[in-house]
Amino acid sequence: MEFKIFDSYEEASKYSADLVANVLKDKKDAVLGLATGSSPEGMYKELIALYNKGEIDFSEVKSVNLDEYVGLDGSHHQSYRYFMDVNLFNHVNIDKKNTHVPNGIAADLQEGAKAYDALIESMGSVDVQVLGIGPNGHIGFNEPGEELLVHTHVADLKEETIEANARFFESKEEVPTKAVTMGVGAIMKSKKIVLIASGKNKAWAVQQMASDVITTKIPATLLKLHPNVTVVLDQEAASLL
């Protein structure tokens, strides 16, 4: 696990984008594992800028997203499909048919989760998985607990996660309490992981990743077992290191 610390979120975003861009330059039909939220937003802006300069091409790229809220369809402005369209897909030459987000409105969520795992398996290895991290150390929506699940599943969101995401909704009551999320198995199978964290509210979780502890109660600590992880931080997120 390699830690890269930058003076600003903007610099961290540019570095993260370069890591992903290098994968695309090496492999035109790369499979990208993508994340939503405020942490990777700046990276997506930088990737769009690189695309506009003609430095990267998304025409053969496939993508799989980590998670989606249960109960929100892709047209909802807080759905993760909508986020990806607005923040990346609408601005580059990726084929939307090759972009995949878990189905949060499937008639059978469990069957939908199984189908998502099968889809990921059919693509082979994810070449680079982008992650954020929750203040409680969650990755995707794999929340702290006595055990973690390997496969894609329906997760109950912790109270602190709901509170952290409430800023994106008009009220806390509107925040979904469940999500469909990739399990830790798919994340750990990816060839490379780029985890982005910014802000003081992520400093504790980052500190735990840098410690010698691995525990399901801080899911991000499992990333220590992965052979190729780059943790990209701004000064605030790195303040406890």
Side-chain angles (χ1 to χ4, degrees):
M1 185 176 284
E2 183 178 17
F3 289 81
K4 296 286 188 179
I5 302 170
F6 295 88
D7 289 336
S8 67
Y9 171 70
E10 290 73 23
E11 289 177 275
S13 296
K14 188 176 188 310
Y15 183 82
S16 302
D18 287 341
L19 291 178
V20 174
N22 287 338
V23 172
L24 299 185
K25 290 172 183 176
D26 290 341
K27 187 179 180 184
K28 288 187 176 181
D29 60 346
V31 178
L32 301 182
L34 300 177
T36 54
S38 55
S39 294
E41 198 169 344
M43 182 197 71
Y44 293 140
K45 289 179 181 177
E46 293 292 341
L47 285 173
I48 293 166
L50 291 172
Y51 166 75
N52 287 332
K53 293 176 185 176
E55 294 185 25
I56 53 175
D57 175 26
F58 288 85
S59 61
E60 298 180 43
V61 169
K62 296 178 181 178
S63 71
V64 287
N65 261 73
L66 284 167
D67 41 35
E68 178 62 280
Y69 285 123
V70 169
L72 301 189
D73 67 25
S75 64
H76 191 285
H77 70 285
Q78 290 300 339
S79 76
Y80 288 162
R81 160 57 73 178
Y82 186 92
F83 177 99
M84 291 308 307
D85 286 346
V86 168
N87 287 283
L88 181 63
F89 299 153
N90 289 347
H91 308 285
V92 298
N93 65 333
I94 198 166
D95 186 342
K96 290 272 188 81
K97 294 178 182 177
N98 289 333
T99 66
H100 306 281
V101 180
N103 186 356
I105 57 168
D108 188 324
L109 291 170
Q110 300 295 344
E111 285 302 312
K114 288 181 183 178
Y116 200 68
D117 277 334
L119 172 70
I120 296 169
E121 286 290 328
S122 73
M123 294 182 182
S125 297
V126 171
D127 292 290
V128 57
Q129 175 67 60
V130 176
L131 295 175
I133 185 171
N136 64 2
H138 74 233
I139 47 176
F141 276 125
N142 293 284
E143 295 277 30
E146 294 297 325
E147 58 187 21
L148 295 174
L149 299 182
V150 171
H151 297 106
T152 300
H153 59 281
V154 179
D156 293 317
L157 305 187
K158 296 285 188 181
E159 181 65 23
E160 58 264 32
T161 298
I162 293 170
E163 288 180 3
N165 290 349
R167 68 188 189 279
F168 300 116
F169 293 80
E170 289 188 13
S171 69
K172 179 182 170 183
E173 289 67 35
E174 292 184 18
V175 183
T177 59
K178 295 178 182 290
V180 181
T181 184
M182 266 188 215
V184 292
I187 293 170
M188 294 297 286
K189 285 180 183 177
S190 56
K191 293 178 182 175
K192 179 177 179 61
I193 291 173
V194 177
L195 186 147
I196 308 163
S198 67
K200 287 184 179 178
N201 67 324
K202 305 296 177 71
W204 177 85
V206 169
Q207 181 188 44
Q208 302 311 304
M209 278 199 298
S211 75
D212 200 38
V213 173
I214 295 174
T215 172
T216 58
K217 294 181 180 179
I218 310 171
T221 61
L222 270 71
L223 298 177
K224 296 168 191 176
L225 300 175
H226 193 283
N228 190 351
V229 180
T230 304
V231 181
V232 186
L233 308 168
D234 64 9
Q235 289 287 348
E236 289 189 340
S239 61
L240 297 180
L241 294 182

